[in-house]
């Protein structure tokens, strides 16, 4: 069943706006500098930009970002009620420096990174933006399948059958009528399941809802891969407003992410005994440079520590060596693993 929205979940209106913004940013297909910083901490980023030496193209971008930060200091922007994090992306196109910027009401990790494309992982990890979700709404004679990428419906399909509601006097017996009716429904569910399978490319979740018993009956037609992704959604019907649909998608993405992070932490704790983890920053930096890191686990609060600049550097190395970066925001996990002033790493192979 749906649970009440968690206090940390983003509002549907802000989620929608951020998805629209990120859709544009994802079209950037050139080297980019990505900057995330807490509101009021722009001076700290400016000092980083000035002391970090990069190639000529990046230096031009950084100068434009510095000017943008100074402008935002007096006139912050936000898609939520209060700006907690400002995000700026800078790149060069046709010899001109371009800037895109947005504010969010949620706390994102401090980022200053130069990479081949905009770095958007914090939005995905903390704000649950731009995920692929399949939403299936059905009853015993109608099905609507919608594929969402973020807040956008990128594909939609509707299927329907003619289904007599009750037995009429005369003709076949009521028992035969009910069996024929149930067979027709069963064939319809199989057809819907087949269509869902064809639309299920790279979706993280399959959300299943509708009034009546149809969703539980239909569930039995899904293959094992779809069953793993499937979550039941209560109070969803064909007339549910899109804003309410967004709320349900957001809630289930947050639940999905919580389970995903828990699995990563379990994996880390299991691999400790096998020597396939690292906890000290100097060891992890060495492992990153030789490509031995599979996953870097970082607290969203890391910027409050003395290791701030070192961790920024580690993230950039990780991004450019295909190591996965996972941000952890749950206070219990951060406290348990003591990763405020450090990071954790899952290794590809043991190192000495």
């Amino acid at each position: 069943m749906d649970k009440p929205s968690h206090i940390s979940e983003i509002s549907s209106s802000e989620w929608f706006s951020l998805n629209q913004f990120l859709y544009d940013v994802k079209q950037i297909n050139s080297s980019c500098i990505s900057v995330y910083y807490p509101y009021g901490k722009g001076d700290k980023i400016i000092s980083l930009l000035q002391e970090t030496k990069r190639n000529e193209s990046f230096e031009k971008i950084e100068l434009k970002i510095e000017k943008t930060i100074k402008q935002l200091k007096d006139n912050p922007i936000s898609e939520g009620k209060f700006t907690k994090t400002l995000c700026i992306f800078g790149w060069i196109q046709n010899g001109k420096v371009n800037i895109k910027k947005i504010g969010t009401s949620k706390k994102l990790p401090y980022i200053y990174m130069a990479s081949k494309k905009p770095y958007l992982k914090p939005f995905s990890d903390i704000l649950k933006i731009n995920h692929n979700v399949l939403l299936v709404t059905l009853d015993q004679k109608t099905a609507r399948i919608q594929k969402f990428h973020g807040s956008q419906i990128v594909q939609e399909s509707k299927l329907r059958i003619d289904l007599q509601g009750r037995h009429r006097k005369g003709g076949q017996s009521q028992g035969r009528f009910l069996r024929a009716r149930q067979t027709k429904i069963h064939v319809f569910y199989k057809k819907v399941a087949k269509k869902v399978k064809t639309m299920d490319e790279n979706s993280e979740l399959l959300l299943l809802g509708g009034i009546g018993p149809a969703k539980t009956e239909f569930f039995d037609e899904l293959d094992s891969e779809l069953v793993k992704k499937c979550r039941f959604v209560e109070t969803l019907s064909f007339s549910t407003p899109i804003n309410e649909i967004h709320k349900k998608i957001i809630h289930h993405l947050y639940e999905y992410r919580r389970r995903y992070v828990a699995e990563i932490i379990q994996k880390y704790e299991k691999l400790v005994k096998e020597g396939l983890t690292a906890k000290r920053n100097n060891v992890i930096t060495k492992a990153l440079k030789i490509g031995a890191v599979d996953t870097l686990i970082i607290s969203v609060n890391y910027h409050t520590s003395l290791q701030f600049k070192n961790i920024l550097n580690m993230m950039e190395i990780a991004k450019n060596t295909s190591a996965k970066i996972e941000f952890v925001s749950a206070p219990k996990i951060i406290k348990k693993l003591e990763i405020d002033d450090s990071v954790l790493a899952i290794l590809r192979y043991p190192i000495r």
Side-chain angles (χ1 to χ4, degrees):
M1 290 181 63
D2 290 341
K3 301 175 184 177
S5 291
H6 191 277
I7 193 167
S8 67
E9 291 179 14
I10 195 169
S11 72
S12 57
S13 59
E14 184 177 355
W15 184 78
F16 179 85
S17 298
L18 289 171
N19 269 294
Q20 294 295 104
F21 174 82
L22 289 187
Y23 177 80
D24 294 335
V25 174
K26 286 179 80 175
Q27 311 309 310
I28 300 169
N29 195 26
S30 62
S31 296
C32 182
I33 289 182
S34 307
V35 169
Y36 300 61
Y37 64 96
Y39 174 63
K41 300 293 184 180
D43 291 343
K44 194 172 183 179
I45 278 290
I46 288 175
S47 66
L48 273 172
L49 291 167
Q50 291 174 344
E51 69 184 54
T52 307
K53 297 304 174 187
R54 302 200 181 265
N55 65 40
E56 186 180 346
S57 295
F58 279 141
E59 291 287 339
K60 287 180 181 178
I61 297 170
E62 289 181 345
L63 283 172
K64 189 72 175 282
I65 290 176
E66 282 181 39
K67 290 179 182 177
T68 303
I69 290 172
K70 290 172 182 175
Q71 292 166 0
L72 290 174
K73 188 175 182 180
D74 300 321
N75 187 27
I77 51 172
S78 182
E79 294 302 333
K81 287 185 178 180
F82 304 101
T83 303
K84 284 193 177 177
T85 310
L86 290 160
C87 314
I88 305 172
F89 303 92
W91 73 102
I92 292 177
Q93 186 174 359
N94 298 326
K96 180 185 176 184
V97 177
N98 292 270
I99 295 288
K100 285 193 75 69
K101 57 188 182 294
I102 200 165
T104 173
S105 65
K106 297 300 178 183
K107 181 171 67 175
L108 299 184
Y110 232 123
I111 304 288
Y112 164 45
M113 183 181 293
S115 51
K116 292 180 181 177
K117 288 188 176 183
Y119 185 65
L120 306 178
K121 189 74 161 59
F123 285 93
S124 177
D125 283 2
I126 312 300
L127 299 180
K128 319 303 176 289
I129 306 292
N130 266 1
H131 288 270
N132 294 312
V133 175
L134 270 181
L135 180 69
V136 179
T137 312
L138 79 167
D139 55 27
Q140 292 182 324
K141 59 183 179 181
T142 309
R144 183 180 66 199
I145 310 164
Q146 295 168 305
K147 185 173 185 177
F148 284 83
H149 179 68
S151 56
Q152 288 190 320
I153 298 173
V154 294
Q155 192 177 354
E156 185 169 7
S157 182
K158 295 179 181 178
L159 295 88
R160 183 179 175 85
I161 57 168
D162 292 323
L163 193 65
Q164 188 175 325
R166 60 179 64 185
H167 180 247
R168 293 171 185 158
K169 291 183 179 180
Q172 60 186 333
S173 69
Q174 184 169 1
R176 187 180 298 172
F177 166 80
L178 291 174
R179 287 193 296 274
R181 186 178 188 275
Q182 200 57 43
T183 297
K184 194 170 185 180
I185 293 170
H186 181 66
V187 171
F188 173 62
Y189 289 159
K190 281 189 172 296
K191 185 177 179 182
V192 175
K194 186 176 180 181
K195 186 65 177 177
V196 169
K197 185 69 177 175
T198 62
M199 291 173 64
D200 178 55
E201 187 180 0
N202 300 323
S203 64
E204 281 95 345
L205 285 174
L206 167 60
L207 302 182
L208 184 55
I211 304 302
K215 58 181 177 287
T216 51
E217 294 171 348
F218 171 72
F219 179 79
D220 293 334
E221 301 299 332
L222 299 175
D223 65 23
S224 59
E225 288 302 310
L226 289 174
V227 164
K228 290 176 187 175
K229 299 178 181 182
C230 188
R231 307 286 185 274
F232 287 103
V233 182
E234 300 301 320
T235 63
L236 176 70
S237 70
F238 294 108
S239 60
T240 301
I242 190 66
N243 186 53
E244 291 301 311
I245 288 175
H246 287 163
K247 287 180 182 178
K248 294 178 187 299
I249 290 174
I250 294 164
H251 174 72
H252 282 279
L253 282 171
Y254 270 80
E255 290 295 311
Y256 166 77
R257 177 66 190 176
R258 276 192 273 271
R259 281 191 288 268
Y260 179 77
V261 170
E263 288 170 3
I264 290 173
I265 300 306
Q266 287 172 6
K267 180 180 179 182
Y268 173 87
E269 292 175 330
K270 180 182 177 182
L271 292 175
V272 168
K273 298 174 184 177
E274 300 176 29
L276 287 172
T277 64
K279 195 169 184 178
R280 297 206 319 272
N281 288 349
N282 61 332
V283 174
I284 295 172
T285 301
K286 175 186 171 184
L288 282 165
K289 288 178 178 177
I290 61 174
V293 174
D294 176 79
T295 304
L296 206 59
I297 304 169
I298 304 174
S299 162
V300 72
N301 301 321
Y302 81 89
H303 63 267
T304 60
S305 80
L306 295 173
Q307 289 286 321
F308 168 62
K309 291 182 183 178
N310 187 23
I311 295 173
L312 272 177
N313 182 51
M314 291 162 73
M315 278 195 288
E316 192 160 332
I317 298 172
K319 173 64 178 174
N320 293 317
T321 56
S322 300
K324 295 188 286 290
I325 301 174
E326 298 293 345
F327 293 105
V328 177
S329 58
K332 286 183 180 178
I333 293 177
I334 292 171
K335 185 176 180 180
K336 177 183 178 183
L337 298 177
E338 300 175 340
I339 55 175
D340 261 339
D341 61 349
S342 179
V343 299
L344 305 176
I346 295 174
L347 304 176
R348 294 189 172 110
Y349 51 84
I351 59 171
R352 293 181 180 179

